[in-house]
Amino acid sequence: MKRIISILLAGFTIAFSAGCGTDSPVDEGGRITVSNATVWSAPNSVKIMKDLPIAEQDQSEGGLLSETPAELRFDAIRGETEGAQLMFTASENIASFDLAVNDVKTESGATLSAKQFEVLAERYIEVTTPTTSNPTTANMYAGWYPDALVPMDRYKARRDNKVTAGEHQGIWVNLNIPRDAEAGTYTGTAKLTLDDEKVDVPVTVTVRDLTIPEEVHARSAFAIWYDNIPFGETNMSEEMSSNIQEIYYWFITNKRVTGMRIPYYPSDPVSFAEAVVPYAENNMVTGYWLPYRSVKTSNPDVIGGSTFDYDYAVQLLGAMIDKNIQLREAGNESIDLFKKAYYYLDSLIDEPTADTAGKVRDCDLQITKAKQALKDRLKDYPDLYDSFIHIPHIVTTKYDETYIGSDTVGGVQTWCPTVDHFNQSGMKELIEERRNSTERESGEDFWWYTCINPQNPYPSYHIDDNLISSRTMRWMQYDLGVSATLFWNICYYRKYNFDKTTTDRNVWVDPLSWEGCNGDGQLVYPGSYYGLETPISTLRLESIREGNEDYEYLLMTERKIEEINEKHNKNYNTDKILSKFYSRIYKGVISYTDVFVFSSVRGELLDLLENLYNDEVAAMAILDKLNS
C-alpha cells in the first residue's frame, strides 16, 4: 500500500533569502520553502524514495537528511565527473518542473561553463515485491525508487516533469570537470522552476589541485548482451540501429565501466587481432574478452563431452602475436594486445559444480597448453611475454581446493567468487598467497562478481538496495586487492521467470528482471523511448562510476606514499593508513549506511591526497598520525 507522506518541518527558524527568485522562506538548515514545495538536497550516495517520509528512509546518525540545505555542492578533482542531487517535496500538485545551471566562477574570475553541467530528472519505478524480505542494512520497502536518469530536456518533451502533492522528486546533476580547470572554489546559482515558482539554488564547486589519471585502473568486465538491446530499444532510428553495439559500449565506457565484448567482435582470428588494437590503446578500456570455441572430447572426466578448442586458441593468440610484433616493428613501442585480454568461458564452465571439476581442469589445461606452445615467439619482447603468460582465465567459482591446479593438470587460474565470499578473515592474505602461487608460471588471481546474488547486506546493484553499497564496493575491491569486477549484463530488457521461461517486459514499469531481483542485469534504460541516440543512465551506474573514481584516489594515494617513502627515507604503511578510512565506511564487505560519514571520509581522503601532491610537509604530518 502506498504510504502517506509526512514531512515535518516544525522547529525551524524561518527567515527570508535574498538569493531566491521569489521571497522564499529558508529554514535554519538552508531548506527553501515556496508555495508549492520545499527544496532541499541529498548526498549522491543515497536514493530517496518518492513515497516515503524522510524519517523512515534516513539511516544517518542524528537524522541528518531532515536538515540538508537547498544547494548543489560538488567536491572533486580535475578530469572527473561528480554528481549532486537536488530534491524537492511537493506540497501541492506540480504540473512542470525544470532546472538550469548557470556558469560558476571563482573570485579570480576562472569559470566553469554551464555546458559542463548535465541536468537529469530522476524517474521512479515501483517495486511491488522487494528483492529480499530479510534485509539487514536496507529498508527495502515496496514503493517508488529513483532509478533512470533522463536528460531534463527529453523528460520535459514527454511531459513527464510533473509531481503529485506529497511526493519527493530528485534532480541529478553531473559536473564534468575539464582536465585544465583552475583549482579553487567556484560559486553561482541554478534556477529551479516549479510551475510559476522560481528558486535560485546556490551552487558551490570545489576543484582540488589534482588531476585524475587518464587511464582507468578499476578493471571491470560488464557484459552487454547486444542481441538483447532491441527488446528495449524498440524505437531506434536507422542510424542508431546500425551502430547500436558501439553506442552501448562507449556509453558505459565513458562511465568508467568496460563492456566485456568489443562491439561487432569478429571470430576470425586475424580480424579479431586487427579489431582489438584501438581497444588495447584506449586508456578508458580496462579489458576485453577473448572469443573461444568448444570442441568434442573423449576425455571421460569432461561432463558433456565438450571442452575448450585448443586449435582455435592457437590460431587466435598466434594472430594477436603476429599483429603485436608487426606494430612493434613499425615503431609502436607501447602497444600490448595481451595486457587487457582475458578468457571467460561462460558457455562451457560458468558457475561450475562439483561434477564439472573435470571440465574446469581440462578447459584450463587447453588454455595453458596454447600459451606454452606460442610463448617463445615473444622471447624478444619481455613485456609482451609477461602479459601473454598472465592472460587470466576467469572461472566464476569460490575458492575451493577441489579446483586448485597447476600448469600440468589444469584447474582454476583466476578465481571469481560472488562478493559475499570475501566477507571472511584472511581473504586479503589468501589472495596474495595464490597470486604468488608457484604451481603456475602465471600465478593465480582473484576477481569477483554479482549475479542475482549476493543480496543485502552484501553489495549489489539491486534497485531496492542501498545506493552506498555499490559505491563502497570499489573501496573494498582496492582494499582486498581484487583485480576486477565481473557483471553478467547491463541491458537485460527481458524477464526471466521462476518457471524458467523468458518473456517480454516493460522496463519502465516492471523492475523484476530475473528471478525476483529488482533491476539485476539492467544498469541502463532504452534511450529511444525519449528520442535519444544513447541509452539512459541510472543512479546505480552513476554510483559505480563514482566508486571507480574513488578507486583512482586510493591508487593515487598509495603511489604518492611510496614516492614519499623513497624520497624521504620514510616507512609509511599504506595499508595501515588507508585502513583508517576503510574502517569507518564498511566492515568485511558489508557497507555502513551513514552516507554523511562516507562523505566525510571521502573528503578527508581528498584532503590527504591534495597535500600529498602539493605540500609534502603537511602530508607527512597527517601520515605520521595515521601511521601511528
Side-chain angles (χ1 to χ4, degrees):
M1 178 181 294
K2 186 174 179 180
R3 300 169 190 259
I4 299 174
I5 304 304
S6 171
I7 302 300
L8 301 178
L9 298 174
F12 290 119
T13 302
I14 302 300
F16 287 91
S17 170
C20 297
T22 58
D23 287 335
S24 307
V26 180
D27 63 41
E28 64 182 17
R31 294 190 170 202
I32 299 172
T33 301
V34 291
S35 65
N36 55 5
T38 298
V39 186
W40 47 295
S41 63
N44 65 7
S45 52
V46 66
K47 302 172 187 173
I48 304 297
M49 296 174 66
K50 79 174 182 179
D51 59 339
L52 288 183
I54 295 303
E56 199 164 343
Q57 304 187 57
D58 194 348
Q59 294 180 298
S60 64
E61 186 175 348
L64 293 176
L65 277 176
S66 64
E67 301 176 6
T68 51
E71 64 177 357
L72 287 170
R73 184 173 292 273
F74 304 85
D75 185 4
I77 71 178
R78 291 182 292 252
E80 74 168 312
T81 298
E82 180 68 5
Q85 199 169 192
L86 185 69
M87 305 294 305
F88 64 88
T89 305
S91 55
E92 59 184 60
N93 290 344
I94 295 175
S96 67
F97 67 87
D98 193 10
L99 181 74
V101 184
N102 302 311
D103 293 352
V104 293
K105 297 183 178 183
T106 64
E107 288 186 356
S108 64
T111 302
L112 290 176
S113 166
K115 295 180 180 179
Q116 304 301 134
F117 296 90
E118 181 185 16
V119 180
L120 305 160
E122 296 181 8
R123 174 166 170 156
Y124 296 77
I125 190 165
E126 185 178 19
V127 168
T128 57
T129 304
T131 300
T132 176
S133 59
N134 297 300
T136 303
T137 66
N139 292 325
M140 300 188 87
Y141 296 114
W144 292 84
Y145 287 83
D147 198 36
L149 297 175
V150 185
M152 184 64 78
D153 61 335
R154 301 307 176 100
Y155 206 61
K156 288 164 51 184
R158 287 191 68 96
R159 299 184 178 179
D160 286 342
N161 60 329
K162 57 179 74 73
V163 185
T164 301
E167 294 181 346
H168 313 302
Q169 174 65 51
I171 301 174
W172 186 279
V173 180
N174 275 333
L175 168 59
N176 301 299
I177 303 175
R179 299 187 72 83
D180 61 353
E182 182 177 305
T185 300
Y186 297 72
T187 58
T189 60
K191 182 75 71 177
L192 175 65
T193 302
L194 306 172
D195 287 340
D196 294 331
E197 294 279 7
K198 296 187 183 298
V199 180
D200 283 341
V201 176
V203 179
T204 303
V205 178
T206 300
V207 177
R208 305 283 187 144
D209 195 8
L210 299 160
T211 305
I212 203 164
E214 291 187 349
E215 181 180 0
V216 174
H217 296 93
R219 192 171 189 182
S220 56
F222 280 40
I224 308 172
W225 291 13
Y226 293 123
D227 60 352
N228 199 255
I229 294 173
F231 289 104
E233 298 283 8
T234 57
N235 298 307
M236 284 188 285
S237 67
E238 183 176 342
E239 181 178 357
M240 184 179 184
S241 179
S242 63
N243 296 293
I244 193 61
Q245 292 192 19
E246 289 192 356
I247 288 171
Y248 266 64
Y249 182 91
W250 292 113
F251 183 84
I252 66 168
T253 300
N254 288 329
K255 302 293 182 183
R256 294 182 170 267
V257 174
T258 300
M260 188 176 293
R261 291 166 170 81
I262 66 172
Y264 306 107
Y265 63 91
S267 58
D268 171 69
V270 174
S271 298
F272 182 84
E274 291 280 352
V276 83
V277 172
Y279 299 90
E281 294 180 311
N282 192 299
N283 283 324
M284 296 292 287
V285 174
T286 64
Y288 36 79
W289 171 88
L290 294 177
Y292 65 93
R293 291 177 181 172
S294 61
V295 66
K296 292 295 182 181
T297 178
S298 58
N299 185 339
D301 294 330
V302 177
I303 299 296
S306 61
T307 190
F308 181 85
D309 189 341
Y310 164 86
D311 291 332
Y312 177 75
V314 169
Q315 294 173 37
L316 180 80
L317 295 174
M320 293 175 68
I321 289 172
D322 289 341
K323 184 62 181 177
N324 214 140
I325 292 175
Q326 175 191 343
L327 291 167
R328 286 288 179 95
E329 291 179 346
N332 191 334
E333 296 297 327
S334 62
I335 187 70
D336 185 341
L337 299 185
F338 310 107
K339 185 177 181 180
K340 299 178 181 180
Y342 56 87
Y343 275 114
Y344 168 44
L345 312 186
D346 49 351
S347 66
L348 274 172
I349 53 172
D350 191 39
E351 297 180 342
T353 55
D355 62 350
T356 57
K359 178 177 279 192
V360 171
R361 289 189 182 280
D362 195 71
C363 287
D364 182 65
L365 185 58
Q366 301 309 317
I367 292 174
T368 301
K369 287 170 60 179
K371 290 183 187 178
Q372 296 295 327
L374 296 167
K375 65 179 185 179
D376 286 346
R377 293 178 57 188
L378 292 169
K379 62 184 179 183
D380 294 332
Y381 305 91
D383 60 324
L384 295 182
Y385 180 99
D386 186 67
S387 296
F388 181 76
I389 287 297
H390 284 86
I391 292 174
H393 168 209
I394 318 303
V395 182
T396 46
T397 184
K398 65 181 180 180
Y399 180 76
D400 186 333
E401 292 185 359
T402 303
Y403 298 114
I404 294 176
S406 69
D407 285 345
T408 56
V409 300
V412 174
Q413 186 276 328
T414 294
W415 308 85
C416 188
T418 51
V419 175
D420 52 308
H421 288 292
F422 293 81
N423 197 47
Q424 53 186 300
S425 62
M427 281 303 295
K428 190 168 185 174
E429 292 74 18
L430 175 63
I431 290 170
E432 190 62 25
E433 173 191 335
R434 300 313 304 176
R435 190 166 280 146
N436 296 318
S437 168
T438 58
E439 290 89 354
R440 292 176 176 274
E441 185 176 2
S442 65
E444 295 178 14
D445 204 359
F446 275 81
W447 289 22
W448 65 8
Y449 78 110
T450 69
C451 179
I452 315 304
N453 290 309
Q455 298 178 4
N456 180 273
Y458 302 106
S460 82
Y461 304 139
H462 300 143
I463 288 173
D464 48 340
D465 197 4
N466 294 317
L467 191 62
I468 190 69
S469 73
S470 55
R471 178 76 177 268
T472 56
M473 186 177 171
R474 295 305 175 272
W475 294 64
M476 299 170 190
Q477 180 181 339
Y478 192 89
D479 181 9
L480 288 165
V482 175
S483 291
T485 297
L486 183 81
F487 189 54
W488 67 279
N489 191 11
I490 61 107
C491 57
Y492 189 65
Y493 292 147
R494 304 206 75 197
K495 185 182 186 74
Y496 185 84
N497 304 296
F498 284 109
D499 63 2
K500 298 185 179 180
T501 60
T502 301
T503 54
D504 291 338
R505 171 172 66 99
N506 183 342
V507 298
W508 298 103
V509 299
D510 183 0
L512 287 171
S513 52
W514 190 282
E515 296 182 344
C517 289
N518 290 294
D520 205 275
Q522 186 200 332
L523 293 176
V524 296
Y525 284 80
S528 59
Y529 178 81
Y530 280 95
L532 293 165
E533 298 289 305
T534 67
I536 287 171
S537 188
T538 57
L539 272 78
R540 294 169 293 142
L541 181 56
E542 296 300 326
S543 176
I544 294 167
R545 174 192 53 73
E546 298 273 6
N548 285 341
E549 290 172 338
D550 296 343
Y551 187 100
E552 300 294 339
Y553 297 168
L554 298 168
L555 177 63
M556 292 168 70
T557 300
E558 179 170 8
R559 287 180 171 177
K560 204 64 180 179
I561 290 174
E562 290 175 354
E563 286 183 22
I564 287 177
N565 281 340
E566 184 174 351
K567 179 179 178 181
H568 298 282
N569 196 28
K570 294 287 186 177
N571 193 30
Y572 293 122
N573 186 317
T574 304
D575 283 344
K576 184 176 183 180
I577 288 167
L578 290 178
S579 70
K580 303 292 178 64
F581 297 92
Y582 302 146
S583 63
R584 293 163 60 194
I585 58 176
Y586 59 83
K587 182 178 181 180
V589 291
I590 297 177
S591 177
Y592 299 141
T593 58
D594 193 322
V595 294
F596 294 98
V597 171
F598 174 79
S599 295
S600 177
V601 168
R602 177 181 175 272
E604 290 171 26
L605 181 64
L606 276 171
D607 290 342
L608 170 60
L609 192 55
E610 194 168 27
N611 279 313
L612 283 169
Y613 275 77
N614 299 290
D615 188 343
E616 289 187 349
V617 174
M620 286 189 288
I622 298 172
L623 294 176
D624 286 337
K625 294 178 181 179
L626 293 172
N627 200 56
S628 62

